[in-house]
Amino acid sequence: LPGSACMKEIEMNVKLIVTADDLGIAPERDEGIFAAFQHGIVTNASLLVNGCSARAAAQHAAKIGLPMGLHLNLTEGPASANMDQVASLLVSQTPWWPTGSTQPVGTSHTHSAGKTAMHMRGKSGLREALSKCEISLEEVGHEVE
């Protein structure tokens, strides 16, 4: 019952966890997440390890005490593993990834805006490739490592 001693005890023990998604995708997003954490709006973040600013974001998050989890990404941007270890996950395409940022962690290739590069297939591309048994689970394992 509202107002009862039991409910007051429950209310005192409730904690809201707010996770900011995609830390490391781009410096502008990172700055917003850091500001939200410093103002008490966000309690932790998921680090997009293949993001353009992942390394710097992880370092800054550790410096300010922002707890992080890892955001597994098998659909967007460049691979974190070496391209030859995850070839079934990749297609040649013009990257949508934010330009002007540093190269994502773990990538062994570079590109400039508008150039074709090997990137993940996208959500619908991954679903289609899975339906055709074109994705190697061993290669998924390499990307997850």
Side-chain angles (χ1 to χ4, degrees):
L1 298 171
S4 70
C6 179
M7 284 304 294
K8 287 180 183 176
E9 185 176 334
I10 291 171
E11 289 170 1
M12 289 175 44
N13 291 318
V14 172
K15 181 177 180 181
L16 178 63
I17 297 171
V18 178
T19 302
D21 195 26
D22 294 343
L23 178 66
I25 196 169
E28 298 81 7
R29 169 82 51 94
D30 302 342
E31 290 171 16
I33 291 172
F34 297 141
F37 174 70
Q38 292 171 325
H39 287 95
I41 299 165
V42 166
T43 58
N44 58 40
S46 62
L47 179 68
L48 188 66
V49 296
N50 68 334
C52 295
S53 60
R55 185 168 301 187
Q59 291 170 345
H60 189 70
K63 181 179 175 183
I64 65 172
L66 172 60
M68 289 177 288
L70 297 180
H71 179 151
L72 177 62
N73 181 6
L74 298 175
T75 60
E76 309 295 339
S80 295
N82 288 328
M83 291 186 298
D84 60 341
Q85 293 181 312
V86 294
S88 71
L89 297 173
L90 304 174
V91 293
S92 180
Q93 61 181 268
T94 302
W96 64 268
W97 219 240
T99 57
S101 300
T102 59
Q103 185 174 341
V105 175
T107 57
S108 58
H109 65 289
T110 58
H111 58 76
S112 57
K115 301 280 181 166
T116 300
M118 297 302 290
H119 276 41
M120 299 287 187
R121 295 171 175 263
K123 289 175 181 68
S124 61
L126 180 63
R127 281 191 291 270
E128 181 180 338
L130 284 167
S131 73
K132 295 177 180 179
C133 298
E134 295 175 351
I135 301 295
S136 162
L137 293 181
E138 181 180 350
E139 292 180 6
V140 171
H142 289 301
E143 183 65 13
V144 172
E145 291 174 348

